[in-house]
Amino acid sequence: DFRILAMGGSDEYRDYYLECHKAEIARFFPKFDPSDRGERLTYYLLKNSIPIGLLIGRRRERDLVIELDYVGAQYRDFKMGTFVYGSAEFFRAQGFDRLVCPAGGGAHDQYLKRMGFSRQGDDFVKPF
């Protein structure tokens, strides 16, 4: 039972989750700055009502530009990613037409391709 839960404003649990997983997040997403609050949107990724990951990004017109797509190691079986990136209706309801993720090289780029993103310049893009 998977779910995406949109969160807004300041969130102590988000900060705690990022702190608990900071070493691994830094390894997979070296450009992600957890202290940058800016205009970020945070989505909790839940399995059986348990938070197992975070999706964090920014709105750029009708795009969600993803800065962090992180799921804890014990849940990395592609099921959550398949659910999230197959949730077009959820993202459309949030006002997005497509997801954009900057190319970073390596395994994450391969993951994005597996999730249905296509390379467009310096980004991977998934339209709905």
Side-chain angles (χ1 to χ4, degrees):
D1 181 32
F2 296 114
R3 183 165 182 194
I4 305 169
L5 184 62
M7 298 300 293
S10 113
D11 184 17
E12 185 177 348
Y13 183 77
R14 177 203 52 220
D15 295 343
Y16 174 74
Y17 190 93
L18 290 170
E19 179 66 25
C20 287
H21 299 277
K22 71 180 178 182
E24 199 169 46
I25 289 171
R27 190 175 84 209
F28 290 125
F29 299 92
K31 294 179 183 178
F32 180 75
D33 179 1
S35 66
D36 177 6
R37 296 292 182 247
E39 297 287 323
R40 280 187 173 154
L41 302 168
T42 299
Y43 300 93
Y44 285 103
L45 308 178
L46 308 174
K47 179 177 182 179
N48 298 325
S49 76
I50 298 168
I52 65 167
L54 293 175
L55 185 71
I56 297 176
R58 297 178 195 270
R59 178 179 293 281
R60 184 177 66 201
E61 297 176 12
R62 298 208 37 99
D63 293 346
L64 174 58
V65 180
I66 299 168
E67 297 178 6
L68 178 70
D69 168 13
Y70 177 82
V71 173
Q74 65 272 32
Y75 299 103
R76 286 192 205 131
D77 58 6
F78 296 101
K79 290 179 184 174
M80 181 51 112
T82 300
F83 173 78
V84 169
Y85 294 125
S87 297
E89 290 302 319
F90 173 84
F91 290 109
R92 275 193 215 111
Q94 300 283 312
F96 299 111
D97 292 330
R98 62 188 199 154
L99 302 174
V100 177
C101 192
H108 192 255
D109 287 0
Q110 295 304 313
Y111 164 75
L112 292 171
K113 289 177 189 175
R114 184 172 177 173
M115 295 296 112
F117 285 73
S118 60
R119 183 85 184 242
Q120 294 182 13
D122 292 335
D123 296 324
F124 282 90
V125 176
K126 182 172 178 83
F128 300 120

